[in-house]
Amino acid sequence: RKEVEQDPGPFNVPEGATVAFNCTYSNSASQSFFWYRQDCRKEPKLLMSVYSSGNEDGRFTAQLNRASQYISLLIRDSKLSDSATYLCVVNESGGSYIPTFGRGTSLIVHP
Amino acid sequence: DAGVTQSPTHLIKTRGQQVTLRCSPISGHKSVSWYQQVLGQGPQFIFQYYEKEERGRGNFPDRFSARQFPNYSSELNVNALLLGDSALYLCASSLDPRNSPLHFGNGTRLTVT
């Protein structure tokens, strides 16, 4: 079973829509969580960290559900420029702390 | 401040050759990680170094090796290249691998023919 799972999509939404992505992880001892954005043929860039109490950055909201072992990313009022692949990252713990990536969810925002 | 820098940007090699990729972390970052990314997949973990010691190794063959230097820069070596090694190789640095986010370089795109 893959350690970090994401629906690859693509999610195809109109401008202004609200879209949510989930990411599940298998290691219950995982300590830290992040969302990254990756544009085509570019490196991943940190979008936001995910805190236990949930956190918001403008149109973006991240949440952590430890009981069900998933993190989520909500994007409100989608813009064309939000089109990208969104990668969740889980820091696996237990001796070493290896950031493990999901395969990414593709988002396409159309006019 | 300079971000993570990687060199070269692009590389074309033939099967059986060897390649060395280089990475300089953000100033003050002591952890460097290497990832391999093929099209349509998330980055796959290869190595992590922290304070010049190997702290983790992913599921890659022994043809892959790496090291971290006293100035925290790092090299990734791949011997006996295979066609399947063609990928984007990403280097990332962080302050502390336990809880700090990764900051990526632009990557090295390796093509093996």
Side-chain angles (χ1 to χ4, degrees):
Chain A
R1 180 188 165 188
K2 199 163 167 51
E3 295 162 336
V4 179
E5 295 204 40
Q6 290 183 255
D7 180 347
F11 285 61
N12 206 318
V13 304
E15 272 186 292
T18 295
V19 62
F21 311 133
N22 280 343
C23 170
T24 60
Y25 59 95
S26 59
N27 186 343
S28 60
S30 296
Q31 296 294 321
S32 49
F33 309 86
F34 307 92
W35 282 101
Y36 281 74
R37 172 198 168 119
Q38 186 172 28
D39 293 290
C40 188
R41 301 182 73 82
K42 298 283 192 183
E43 76 277 16
K45 291 187 192 287
L46 177 68
L47 181 64
M48 56 197 306
S49 303
V50 186
Y51 302 120
S52 297
S53 54
N55 49 299
E56 189 173 304
D57 182 2
R59 298 181 294 108
F60 299 84
T61 301
Q63 291 195 310
L64 167 63
N65 185 318
R66 284 194 185 273
S68 300
Q69 294 182 207
Y70 74 85
I71 62 173
S72 64
L73 177 69
L74 181 79
I75 305 175
R76 290 181 300 278
D77 188 23
S78 298
K79 312 290 184 194
L80 295 177
S81 57
D82 293 335
S83 298
T85 296
Y86 291 84
L87 298 156
C88 71
V89 180
V90 175
N91 261 25
E92 306 273 304
S93 61
S96 59
Y97 295 84
I98 305 300
T100 302
F101 282 75
R103 65 175 296 178
T105 297
S106 176
L107 172 65
I108 301 169
V109 182
H110 59 82
Chain B
D1 283 344
V4 177
T5 57
Q6 289 187 246
S7 62
T9 307
H10 295 84
L11 206 48
I12 300 175
K13 292 283 191 178
T14 57
R15 279 176 292 178
Q17 285 189 311
Q18 175 265 340
V19 68
T20 298
L21 310 181
R22 296 178 175 82
C23 173
S24 292
I26 291 171
S27 177
H29 286 194
K30 297 180 179 179
S31 179
V32 169
S33 300
W34 287 95
Y35 287 81
Q36 180 196 66
Q37 187 175 27
V38 298
L39 199 61
Q41 299 294 322
Q44 296 296 308
F45 172 72
I46 311 176
F47 286 106
Q48 182 188 86
Y49 281 80
Y50 183 53
E51 288 284 18
K52 291 157 277 185
E53 289 187 6
E54 182 183 304
R55 296 301 182 100
R57 184 188 179 112
N59 188 23
F60 280 81
D62 292 343
R63 300 184 295 107
F64 288 76
S65 63
R67 54 182 174 166
Q68 187 176 34
F69 297 99
N71 66 353
Y72 301 106
S73 66
S74 177
E75 285 183 352
L76 174 70
N77 294 286
V78 187
N79 292 325
L81 286 166
L82 303 175
L83 296 180
D85 295 331
S86 296
L88 178 65
Y89 288 85
L90 294 160
C91 172
S93 72
S94 67
L95 276 169
D96 185 332
R98 290 168 294 182
N99 51 27
S100 300
L102 298 172
H103 298 268
F104 285 89
N106 293 336
T108 294
R109 190 162 298 280
L110 172 65
T111 302
V112 182
T113 61

